[in-house]
Amino acid sequence: MPAVHRENHPILGGLKLIEVSAFVAAPLAGATLAALGADVIRVDPPGGGIDIDRWPMHGERSLYWAGLNQGKRSVTIDNRTEEGRRQLIELVKAHGGILLTNLPAEGWSSYDQLSKVRPDLIMVVISGSRDGSPAVDYTVNAAVGFPWITGPDGHDGPVNHVLPAWDTMTGFLACTAILAAERHRRLTGEGQLVELSLADVGLAVAGHLGLIAEAVLEATPRGRYGNQIYGTFGRDFPTADGRHVMVVALTPRQWRSLVDSTGLAESFAELERALGCDFRRQGDRWRGRKEICDLLAPWVADRSLSELREIFQRNGVLWGPYQTFQQLVAEDPRARGTDSVLAEVEHASLGRFPTAGSPLRFSAAQWLPPLPAPVLGQHTDEVIREVAGTSSS
């Protein structure tokens, strides 16, 4: 039987799940699924959980909470009470039988107990460490090793990055876990418990990038190289008008585009002869990085950002301007317009601002424009009525 393409139907329309969470990973997973059409009900205690007033704030509302919960329905239930626990159990049972959480899942909220009322329950539990010990993005990053290769050459001591990378990777991987377990349930009728930890994600990514193998097989530890891209060519350069650009050449073609755009072909050829290098090879570009930068930096410094944009785009150079978040929303066409992943959305008590939809585009399903963030508890009565109707039926 041929597949039916429903162009006006979101790709995850009909998928239902409950999210009981805090921090970044689990809420991001829920928001990612909601952006694809899933009906995600976020459950918080009355007055909000531990992240209800996490910075950045705008007035009395957390932009952090709003961004991680957009497109969801918000319900407040006090699960410290017997009635609240009964409501939450009924909600899990009636609304899809999928529970996403990164809060302690023990006692009445454990998989063993909840699966008694919903035998095909899918429960995805995110933890800091596999052994149950606490960990967050910043402690995982510290332990994996990245702070010792981050920062300027010669710096003494660890340097953290500000992007919660392990949280975001774990959140997206939790989406994969939910969809994989849901597929298994459709095929077999079986539910299951899925466990995922930030620490394991950190170790897995470090392994995939070759950093674990390098630590074992190479005698010399990886050093710090500032804004240089290790093993190839890429670095930041200041422009004549006080801006900065990132210039990258990962492939022979990208290197040729950069050389052609600068008019420094002969100078680079002389440098290759002097160093005994062939800059078509990325390892040689890395070995000659200082000398390459010594030639390129003055050329960039003589030109404004607009001049560099015209030259680089005309020659197909791999580059990008450094931008503040304010410059991003004010100047970058990717943050505006009908083809952007961002769209203007009015959010209650926050105002109107560009809001992220899903970066995914499916040819056979509708792309959903971004939805506003709920107000805490906005959908409580609505959802409780739905659950009561489902239970009675």
Side-chain angles (χ1 to χ4, degrees):
M1 182 176 180
V4 177
H5 289 181
R6 301 177 179 176
E7 295 183 358
N8 61 346
H9 188 70
I11 195 74
L12 291 185
L15 182 70
K16 299 179 179 181
L17 65 140
I18 306 300
E19 174 197 317
V20 184
S21 69
F23 301 113
V24 176
L28 179 61
T32 301
L33 296 172
L36 294 172
D39 183 5
V40 180
I41 295 177
R42 158 84 183 230
V43 179
D44 282 292
I50 58 176
D51 52 2
I52 191 63
D53 57 358
R54 186 159 293 151
W55 287 26
M57 301 285 292
H58 179 71
E60 297 299 315
R61 287 204 67 186
S62 166
L63 296 173
Y64 170 103
W65 191 92
L68 287 171
N69 289 294
Q70 66 186 58
K72 304 174 188 176
R73 293 197 283 172
S74 174
V75 169
T76 53
I77 294 176
D78 187 355
N79 60 26
R80 295 171 299 179
T81 68
E82 184 176 345
E83 174 61 15
R85 290 193 288 271
R86 185 192 66 79
Q87 287 181 325
L88 184 53
I89 290 170
E90 284 298 313
L91 190 55
V92 172
K93 179 181 177 182
H95 192 78
I98 302 176
L99 175 61
L100 166 66
T101 187
N102 64 337
L103 301 182
E106 51 197 18
W108 69 272
S109 64
S110 68
Y111 174 77
D112 287 343
Q113 291 299 312
L114 292 176
S115 61
K116 291 178 181 178
V117 298
R118 176 87 193 217
D120 65 346
L121 173 70
I122 293 169
M123 186 168 175
V124 175
V125 179
I126 298 173
S127 62
S129 301
R130 183 188 292 202
D131 63 5
S133 58
V136 295
D137 189 281
Y138 308 102
T139 60
V140 168
N141 191 59
V144 170
F146 281 91
W148 293 108
I149 61 172
T150 303
D153 185 12
H155 179 80
D156 185 22
V159 176
N160 291 337
H161 56 71
V162 299
L163 172 69
W166 310 119
D167 270 327
T168 54
M169 292 182 200
T170 301
F172 292 139
L173 191 55
C175 294
T176 304
I178 288 171
L179 297 178
E182 198 271 340
R183 180 179 184 273
H184 176 83
R185 186 171 71 178
R186 281 187 287 112
L187 293 174
T188 68
E190 297 174 345
Q192 60 185 300
L193 172 66
V194 184
E195 297 175 292
L196 175 64
S197 79
L198 269 67
D200 280 355
V201 172
L203 288 170
V205 171
H208 287 309
L209 295 178
L211 292 160
I212 301 296
E214 182 185 43
V216 173
L217 301 176
E218 296 294 323
T220 303
R222 173 85 64 90
R224 282 194 168 104
Y225 302 105
N227 290 337
Q228 301 267 8
I229 300 178
Y230 176 74
T232 185
F233 179 76
R235 207 198 78 176
D236 63 304
F237 296 91
T239 69
D241 52 352
R243 297 292 294 269
H244 286 77
V245 295
M246 185 70 186
V247 181
V248 181
L250 302 176
T251 68
R253 180 177 179 179
Q254 291 166 359
W255 173 252
R256 174 51 54 190
S257 296
L258 177 60
V259 170
D260 291 344
S261 71
T262 63
L264 297 173
E266 185 53 39
S267 297
F268 282 121
E270 290 177 4
L271 183 57
E272 286 177 302
R273 290 190 289 270
L275 297 177
C277 289
D278 180 352
F279 291 154
R280 292 174 298 181
R281 297 197 293 259
Q282 59 180 349
D284 281 3
R285 293 195 296 276
W286 171 251
R287 282 183 280 271
R289 64 191 182 279
K290 180 183 182 302
E291 292 80 5
I292 292 172
C293 291
D294 288 344
L295 280 175
L296 189 56
W299 184 89
V300 174
D302 283 343
R303 290 160 176 82
S304 68
L305 178 61
S306 61
E307 291 175 302
L308 289 168
R309 177 178 282 109
E310 192 280 325
I311 295 171
F312 284 164
Q313 290 182 349
R314 173 162 38 89
N315 288 277
V317 174
L318 183 57
W319 79 289
Y322 282 83
Q323 301 176 143
T324 64
F325 290 111
Q326 286 77 10
Q327 288 169 333
L328 169 67
V329 296
E331 301 174 7
D332 197 320
R334 292 170 295 187
R336 301 282 183 177
T338 57
D339 196 39
S340 175
V341 72
L342 302 176
E344 294 282 338
V345 174
E346 185 74 29
H347 297 263
S349 73
L350 285 174
R352 189 175 183 83
F353 54 84
T355 302
S358 174
L360 292 169
R361 296 290 192 276
F362 295 91
S363 65
Q366 175 189 8
W367 183 79
L368 288 177
L371 298 171
V375 174
L376 179 69
Q378 176 181 341
H379 304 95
T380 302
D381 292 342
E382 168 189 306
V383 169
I384 294 302
R385 284 196 301 270
E386 288 178 11
V387 172
T390 302
S391 298
S392 63
S393 64

